[in-house]
Amino acid sequence: YGFSTKGISSQTNIASAAVDALSQINIVPNPYYAYSKYETSIIDNRVKITNLPQICTITIFNMAGQLVKNISKDNSLTSEDWNLKNNKGIPIAGGVYIIHIEVPGVGEKVLKWYGSMRQIDLQDF
């Protein structure tokens, strides 16, 4: 057997590769059924937006087109957590949300996300 690594390498500063990478951006879990493995306690609600570049802006809207949350990312992590709260720290209602990711100099990606929220039970907390 033989193999070659010719042609396999990292690509940097290639616009077409950056645009293709936009298709890999996702939100998990989707749909969100009142629980995620990313949550750390019974009062924690959390989803992840994955495969993000170092710098991007995430804007989340409800189906009425109202702004729910702005997240500015500027770090080397490839994901960003959303705690399912709006800009004022209030938990969101269940429903469908539109997530707009803008990557400067590359393009944008739009995701649709559905979340079914659970009632907070603080009796066992």
Side-chain angles (χ1 to χ4, degrees), residues 112-125:
K112 295 163 209 78
W113 176 80
Y114 173 78
S116 177
M117 307 307 288
R118 65 179 178 267
Q119 288 184 334
I120 297 176
D121 179 14
L122 298 176
Q123 290 182 347
D124 297 329
F125 184 64

Side-chain angles (χ1 to χ4, degrees), residues 14-109:
I14 299 174
S16 62
V19 171
D20 289 342
L22 289 175
S23 67
Q24 299 299 316
I25 296 174
N26 204 0
I27 183 167
V28 290
N30 190 14
Y32 173 85
Y33 290 121
Y35 173 75
S36 161
K37 290 188 178 188
Y38 304 118
E39 297 169 350
T40 58
S41 70
I42 61 171
I43 60 171
D44 182 29
N45 293 321
R46 183 176 313 272
V47 294
K48 284 190 182 281
I49 302 168
T50 61
N51 301 316
L52 294 170
Q54 181 169 344
I55 299 171
C56 66
T57 303
I58 303 163
T59 310
I60 302 168
F61 300 92
N62 62 19
M63 288 306 293
Q66 298 167 322
L67 176 65
V68 173
K69 181 81 172 179
N70 278 326
I71 303 171
S72 294
K73 181 184 174 304
D74 187 2
N75 58 45
S76 61
L77 297 175
T78 59
S79 67
E80 186 70 33
D81 288 0
W82 177 30
N83 61 3
L84 303 182
K85 293 181 180 175
N86 66 15
N87 281 330
K88 298 194 182 230
I90 300 170
I92 62 166
V96 178
Y97 290 82
I98 305 296
I99 300 160
H100 178 262
I101 296 109
E102 183 178 358
V103 181
V106 177
E108 47 191 46
K109 170 84 180 211

